[in-house]
mmCIF file of all heavy atoms in Angstrom:
data_model
loop_
_atom_site.group_PDB
_atom_site.id
_atom_site.type_symbol
_atom_site.label_atom_id
_atom_site.label_comp_id
_atom_site.label_asym_id
_atom_site.label_seq_id
_atom_site.Cartn_x
_atom_site.Cartn_y
_atom_site.Cartn_z
ATOM 1 N N HIS Z 1 27.075 12.699 -16.321
ATOM 2 C CA HIS Z 1 26.173 13.671 -16.955
ATOM 3 C C HIS Z 1 26.603 13.982 -18.385
ATOM 4 O O HIS Z 1 25.769 14.311 -19.230
ATOM 5 C CB HIS Z 1 26.058 14.954 -16.116
ATOM 6 C CG HIS Z 1 27.326 15.690 -15.910
ATOM 7 N ND1 HIS Z 1 28.248 15.340 -14.956
ATOM 8 C CD2 HIS Z 1 27.842 16.784 -16.529
ATOM 9 C CE1 HIS Z 1 29.262 16.181 -14.988
ATOM 10 N NE2 HIS Z 1 29.036 17.055 -15.941
ATOM 11 N N ALA Z 2 27.901 13.844 -18.679
ATOM 12 C CA ALA Z 2 28.360 14.054 -20.052
ATOM 13 C C ALA Z 2 27.837 12.950 -20.966
ATOM 14 O O ALA Z 2 27.384 13.206 -22.090
ATOM 15 C CB ALA Z 2 29.883 14.097 -20.095
ATOM 16 N N ASP Z 3 27.875 11.708 -20.471
ATOM 17 C CA ASP Z 3 27.376 10.604 -21.284
ATOM 18 C C ASP Z 3 25.855 10.626 -21.400
ATOM 19 O O ASP Z 3 25.287 10.242 -22.429
ATOM 20 C CB ASP Z 3 27.851 9.277 -20.701
ATOM 21 C CG ASP Z 3 29.307 8.976 -21.071
ATOM 22 O OD1 ASP Z 3 29.898 9.764 -21.834
ATOM 23 O OD2 ASP Z 3 29.842 7.962 -20.598
ATOM 24 N N LEU Z 4 25.173 11.070 -20.339
ATOM 25 C CA LEU Z 4 23.718 11.230 -20.433
ATOM 26 C C LEU Z 4 23.373 12.296 -21.464
ATOM 27 O O LEU Z 4 22.423 12.147 -22.243
ATOM 28 C CB LEU Z 4 23.137 11.595 -19.068
ATOM 29 C CG LEU Z 4 23.082 10.456 -18.045
ATOM 30 C CD1 LEU Z 4 22.792 11.007 -16.649
ATOM 31 C CD2 LEU Z 4 22.022 9.423 -18.433
ATOM 32 N N GLY Z 5 24.150 13.382 -21.458
ATOM 33 C CA GLY Z 5 23.935 14.433 -22.445
ATOM 34 C C GLY Z 5 24.134 13.919 -23.855
ATOM 35 O O GLY Z 5 23.339 14.195 -24.761
ATOM 36 N N LYS Z 6 25.214 13.144 -24.067
ATOM 37 C CA LYS Z 6 25.465 12.590 -25.397
ATOM 38 C C LYS Z 6 24.333 11.657 -25.818
ATOM 39 O O LYS Z 6 23.875 11.699 -26.967
ATOM 40 C CB LYS Z 6 26.783 11.821 -25.410
ATOM 41 C CG LYS Z 6 27.050 11.134 -26.748
ATOM 42 C CD LYS Z 6 28.339 10.341 -26.760
ATOM 43 C CE LYS Z 6 28.511 9.645 -28.107
ATOM 44 N NZ LYS Z 6 29.765 8.875 -28.195
ATOM 45 N N ALA Z 7 23.878 10.820 -24.880
ATOM 46 C CA ALA Z 7 22.812 9.868 -25.193
ATOM 47 C C ALA Z 7 21.555 10.583 -25.669
ATOM 48 O O ALA Z 7 20.945 10.197 -26.677
ATOM 49 C CB ALA Z 7 22.504 9.028 -23.951
ATOM 50 N N LEU Z 8 21.165 11.620 -24.954
ATOM 51 C CA LEU Z 8 19.932 12.329 -25.297
ATOM 52 C C LEU Z 8 20.108 13.212 -26.521
ATOM 53 O O LEU Z 8 19.208 13.319 -27.364
ATOM 54 C CB LEU Z 8 19.458 13.140 -24.095
ATOM 55 C CG LEU Z 8 18.954 12.275 -22.928
ATOM 56 C CD1 LEU Z 8 18.859 13.075 -21.642
ATOM 57 C CD2 LEU Z 8 17.600 11.661 -23.269
ATOM 58 N N LEU Z 9 21.284 13.846 -26.657
ATOM 59 C CA LEU Z 9 21.530 14.686 -27.828
ATOM 60 C C LEU Z 9 21.708 13.866 -29.098
ATOM 61 O O LEU Z 9 21.635 14.408 -30.206
ATOM 62 C CB LEU Z 9 22.765 15.561 -27.589
ATOM 63 C CG LEU Z 9 22.546 16.743 -26.636
ATOM 64 C CD1 LEU Z 9 23.884 17.292 -26.145
ATOM 65 C CD2 LEU Z 9 21.747 17.851 -27.312
ATOM 66 N N SER Z 10 21.926 12.549 -28.958
ATOM 67 C CA SER Z 10 22.042 11.701 -30.148
ATOM 68 C C SER Z 10 20.681 11.431 -30.775
ATOM 69 O O SER Z 10 20.600 10.916 -31.892
ATOM 70 C CB SER Z 10 22.719 10.376 -29.783
ATOM 71 O OG SER Z 10 21.839 9.531 -29.055
ATOM 72 N N ILE Z 11 19.605 11.768 -30.057
ATOM 73 C CA ILE Z 11 18.262 11.640 -30.630
ATOM 74 C C ILE Z 11 18.034 12.848 -31.536
ATOM 75 O O ILE Z 11 18.191 13.990 -31.118
ATOM 76 C CB ILE Z 11 17.198 11.581 -29.518
ATOM 77 C CG1 ILE Z 11 17.531 10.466 -28.515
ATOM 78 C CG2 ILE Z 11 15.815 11.348 -30.121
ATOM 79 C CD1 ILE Z 11 16.667 10.495 -27.259
ATOM 80 N N GLY Z 12 17.651 12.595 -32.762
ATOM 81 C CA GLY Z 12 17.644 13.643 -33.776
ATOM 82 C C GLY Z 12 16.858 14.894 -33.438
ATOM 83 O O GLY Z 12 17.203 15.985 -33.881
ATOM 84 N N THR Z 13 15.823 14.782 -32.667
ATOM 85 C CA THR Z 13 14.942 15.916 -32.395
ATOM 86 C C THR Z 13 15.415 16.801 -31.251
ATOM 87 O O THR Z 13 14.841 17.857 -31.014
ATOM 88 C CB THR Z 13 13.513 15.397 -32.100
ATOM 89 O OG1 THR Z 13 12.599 16.478 -32.094
ATOM 90 C CG2 THR Z 13 13.455 14.677 -30.760
ATOM 91 N N VAL Z 14 16.465 16.383 -30.517
ATOM 92 C CA VAL Z 14 16.925 17.116 -29.332
ATOM 93 C C VAL Z 14 17.926 18.207 -29.733
ATOM 94 O O VAL Z 14 18.884 17.952 -30.448
ATOM 95 C CB VAL Z 14 17.570 16.166 -28.299
ATOM 96 C CG1 VAL Z 14 18.169 16.949 -27.133
ATOM 97 C CG2 VAL Z 14 16.531 15.180 -27.787
ATOM 98 N N LYS Z 15 17.701 19.420 -29.228
ATOM 99 C CA LYS Z 15 18.566 20.554 -29.566
ATOM 100 C C LYS Z 15 19.292 21.139 -28.364
ATOM 101 O O LYS Z 15 20.180 21.984 -28.529
ATOM 102 C CB LYS Z 15 17.737 21.663 -30.240
ATOM 103 C CG LYS Z 15 17.020 21.233 -31.499
ATOM 104 C CD LYS Z 15 17.975 20.644 -32.535
ATOM 105 C CE LYS Z 15 18.929 21.675 -33.116
ATOM 106 N NZ LYS Z 15 19.782 21.071 -34.171
ATOM 107 N N ALA Z 16 18.945 20.732 -27.138
ATOM 108 C CA ALA Z 16 19.630 21.269 -25.957
ATOM 109 C C ALA Z 16 19.435 20.317 -24.788
ATOM 110 O O ALA Z 16 18.454 19.561 -24.737
ATOM 111 C CB ALA Z 16 19.098 22.657 -25.603
ATOM 112 N N PHE Z 17 20.390 20.356 -23.841
ATOM 113 C CA PHE Z 17 20.383 19.479 -22.673
ATOM 114 C C PHE Z 17 20.839 20.263 -21.451
ATOM 115 O O PHE Z 17 21.760 21.078 -21.547
ATOM 116 C CB PHE Z 17 21.332 18.298 -22.916
ATOM 117 C CG PHE Z 17 21.652 17.487 -21.678
ATOM 118 C CD1 PHE Z 17 20.815 16.467 -21.257
ATOM 119 C CD2 PHE Z 17 22.804 17.743 -20.941
ATOM 120 C CE1 PHE Z 17 21.111 15.716 -20.130
ATOM 121 C CE2 PHE Z 17 23.111 16.987 -19.807
ATOM 122 C CZ PHE Z 17 22.254 15.976 -19.402
ATOM 123 N N GLU Z 18 20.186 20.028 -20.323
ATOM 124 C CA GLU Z 18 20.652 20.595 -19.064
ATOM 125 C C GLU Z 18 20.334 19.630 -17.934
ATOM 126 O O GLU Z 18 19.424 18.815 -18.030
ATOM 127 C CB GLU Z 18 20.048 21.972 -18.791
ATOM 128 C CG GLU Z 18 18.553 21.981 -18.532
ATOM 129 C CD GLU Z 18 18.034 23.367 -18.145
ATOM 130 O OE1 GLU Z 18 18.789 24.341 -18.235
ATOM 131 O OE2 GLU Z 18 16.855 23.447 -17.755
ATOM 132 N N ILE Z 19 21.117 19.746 -16.846
ATOM 133 C CA ILE Z 19 20.935 18.853 -15.710
ATOM 134 C C ILE Z 19 20.857 19.664 -14.432
ATOM 135 O O ILE Z 19 21.508 20.709 -14.309
ATOM 136 C CB ILE Z 19 22.075 17.815 -15.648
ATOM 137 C CG1 ILE Z 19 21.806 16.783 -14.541
ATOM 138 C CG2 ILE Z 19 23.440 18.469 -15.481
ATOM 139 C CD1 ILE Z 19 22.667 15.539 -14.650
ATOM 140 N N GLY Z 20 20.046 19.200 -13.484
ATOM 141 C CA GLY Z 20 19.880 19.921 -12.227
ATOM 142 C C GLY Z 20 19.283 21.294 -12.470
ATOM 143 O O GLY Z 20 18.300 21.451 -13.185
ATOM 144 N N ALA Z 21 19.909 22.315 -11.885
ATOM 145 C CA ALA Z 21 19.437 23.688 -12.092
ATOM 146 C C ALA Z 21 19.785 24.201 -13.478
ATOM 147 O O ALA Z 21 19.281 25.243 -13.907
ATOM 148 C CB ALA Z 21 20.029 24.603 -11.027
ATOM 149 N N GLY Z 22 20.669 23.516 -14.188
ATOM 150 C CA GLY Z 22 20.973 23.856 -15.570
ATOM 151 C C GLY Z 22 21.474 25.272 -15.762
ATOM 152 O O GLY Z 22 22.333 25.758 -15.026
ATOM 153 N N PHE Z 23 20.903 25.967 -16.744
ATOM 154 C CA PHE Z 23 21.355 27.317 -17.073
ATOM 155 C C PHE Z 23 21.072 28.325 -15.961
ATOM 156 O O PHE Z 23 21.665 29.402 -15.930
ATOM 157 C CB PHE Z 23 20.709 27.781 -18.382
ATOM 158 C CG PHE Z 23 21.343 27.180 -19.610
ATOM 159 C CD1 PHE Z 23 20.826 26.027 -20.170
ATOM 160 C CD2 PHE Z 23 22.465 27.757 -20.180
ATOM 161 C CE1 PHE Z 23 21.416 25.458 -21.293
ATOM 162 C CE2 PHE Z 23 23.051 27.209 -21.306
ATOM 163 C CZ PHE Z 23 22.534 26.051 -21.869
ATOM 164 N N ASP Z 24 20.197 27.981 -15.037
ATOM 165 C CA ASP Z 24 19.893 28.906 -13.938
ATOM 166 C C ASP Z 24 21.094 29.153 -13.026
ATOM 167 O O ASP Z 24 21.150 30.179 -12.346
ATOM 168 C CB ASP Z 24 18.730 28.366 -13.099
ATOM 169 C CG ASP Z 24 17.392 28.482 -13.819
ATOM 170 O OD1 ASP Z 24 17.338 29.203 -14.845
ATOM 171 O OD2 ASP Z 24 16.423 27.854 -13.371
ATOM 172 N N VAL Z 25 22.059 28.221 -13.011
ATOM 173 C CA VAL Z 25 23.217 28.420 -12.129
ATOM 174 C C VAL Z 25 24.040 29.633 -12.562
ATOM 175 O O VAL Z 25 24.789 30.198 -11.754
ATOM 176 C CB VAL Z 25 24.127 27.173 -12.078
ATOM 177 C CG1 VAL Z 25 23.385 25.974 -11.555
ATOM 178 C CG2 VAL Z 25 24.735 26.871 -13.450
ATOM 179 N N ALA Z 26 23.886 30.041 -13.805
ATOM 180 C CA ALA Z 26 24.645 31.198 -14.289
ATOM 181 C C ALA Z 26 24.255 32.483 -13.571
ATOM 182 O O ALA Z 26 25.021 33.452 -13.553
ATOM 183 C CB ALA Z 26 24.434 31.366 -15.800
ATOM 184 N N GLU Z 27 23.070 32.492 -12.956
ATOM 185 C CA GLU Z 27 22.589 33.688 -12.261
ATOM 186 C C GLU Z 27 22.673 33.549 -10.743
ATOM 187 O O GLU Z 27 22.222 34.425 -10.009
ATOM 188 C CB GLU Z 27 21.142 33.970 -12.677
ATOM 189 C CG GLU Z 27 20.984 34.219 -14.183
ATOM 190 C CD GLU Z 27 19.537 34.451 -14.572
ATOM 191 O OE1 GLU Z 27 18.664 34.445 -13.681
ATOM 192 O OE2 GLU Z 27 19.270 34.633 -15.783
ATOM 193 N N MET Z 28 23.248 32.440 -10.263
ATOM 194 C CA MET Z 28 23.326 32.206 -8.818
ATOM 195 C C MET Z 28 24.679 32.604 -8.246
ATOM 196 O O MET Z 28 25.691 32.628 -8.963
ATOM 197 C CB MET Z 28 23.092 30.714 -8.522
ATOM 198 C CG MET Z 28 21.728 30.181 -8.862
ATOM 199 S SD MET Z 28 21.624 28.413 -8.448
ATOM 200 C CE MET Z 28 19.999 28.014 -9.082
ATOM 201 N N ASP Z 29 24.696 32.911 -6.937
ATOM 202 C CA ASP Z 29 25.945 33.007 -6.185
ATOM 203 C C ASP Z 29 26.353 31.595 -5.780
ATOM 204 O O ASP Z 29 25.533 30.682 -5.753
ATOM 205 C CB ASP Z 29 25.757 33.867 -4.934
ATOM 206 C CG ASP Z 29 25.435 35.316 -5.266
ATOM 207 O OD1 ASP Z 29 25.846 35.770 -6.354
ATOM 208 O OD2 ASP Z 29 24.755 35.971 -4.453
ATOM 209 N N GLY Z 30 27.619 31.432 -5.426
ATOM 210 C CA GLY Z 30 28.090 30.123 -4.994
ATOM 211 C C GLY Z 30 27.341 29.610 -3.783
ATOM 212 O O GLY Z 30 27.040 28.409 -3.680
ATOM 213 N N SER Z 31 27.008 30.524 -2.860
ATOM 214 C CA SER Z 31 26.295 30.121 -1.647
ATOM 215 C C SER Z 31 24.907 29.582 -1.954
ATOM 216 O O SER Z 31 24.357 28.776 -1.206
ATOM 217 C CB SER Z 31 26.182 31.315 -0.686
ATOM 218 O OG SER Z 31 25.537 32.406 -1.342
ATOM 219 N N GLU Z 32 24.324 30.020 -3.066
ATOM 220 C CA GLU Z 32 23.013 29.529 -3.474
ATOM 221 C C GLU Z 32 23.135 28.266 -4.310
ATOM 222 O O GLU Z 32 22.340 27.333 -4.178
ATOM 223 C CB GLU Z 32 22.282 30.607 -4.287
ATOM 224 C CG GLU Z 32 20.887 30.195 -4.727
ATOM 225 C CD GLU Z 32 20.238 31.224 -5.630
ATOM 226 O OE1 GLU Z 32 20.875 32.243 -5.957
ATOM 227 O OE2 GLU Z 32 19.072 30.989 -6.027
ATOM 228 N N SER Z 33 24.143 28.224 -5.149
ATOM 229 C CA SER Z 33 24.317 27.098 -6.062
ATOM 230 C C SER Z 33 24.737 25.828 -5.338
ATOM 231 O O SER Z 33 24.289 24.733 -5.681
ATOM 232 C CB SER Z 33 25.357 27.445 -7.126
ATOM 233 O OG SER Z 33 25.676 26.325 -7.909
ATOM 234 N N ASN Z 34 25.613 25.954 -4.335
ATOM 235 C CA ASN Z 34 26.142 24.765 -3.660
ATOM 236 C C ASN Z 34 25.049 23.969 -2.952
ATOM 237 O O ASN Z 34 24.235 24.535 -2.231
ATOM 238 C CB ASN Z 34 27.199 25.170 -2.621
ATOM 239 C CG ASN Z 34 28.481 25.654 -3.270
ATOM 240 O OD1 ASN Z 34 28.703 25.419 -4.458
ATOM 241 N ND2 ASN Z 34 29.324 26.313 -2.493
ATOM 242 N N ASP Z 35 25.065 22.660 -3.161
ATOM 243 C CA ASP Z 35 24.148 21.766 -2.448
ATOM 244 C C ASP Z 35 24.813 21.322 -1.147
ATOM 245 O O ASP Z 35 25.946 20.851 -1.156
ATOM 246 C CB ASP Z 35 23.849 20.522 -3.293
ATOM 247 C CG ASP Z 35 23.111 20.848 -4.580
ATOM 248 O OD1 ASP Z 35 22.337 21.809 -4.575
ATOM 249 O OD2 ASP Z 35 23.313 20.125 -5.575
#
């Protein structure tokens, strides 16, 4: 996912990248976040 992020962020127009639930995990409990 780090290399995917680099690949996409290397495109000039891209300003942010997230994978899966992304920034939403910051508001989850571990019991909700864990797959």
Side-chain angles (χ1 to χ4, degrees):
H1 61 279
D3 281 356
L4 286 167
K6 176 181 178 179
L8 291 164
L9 285 163
S10 74
I11 306 170
T13 191
V14 174
K15 302 304 292 183
F17 167 85
E18 67 175 9
I19 186 165
F23 283 94
D24 287 347
V25 299
E27 300 178 1
M28 295 180 185
D29 295 333
S31 57
E32 182 185 2
S33 172
N34 289 344
D35 296 328

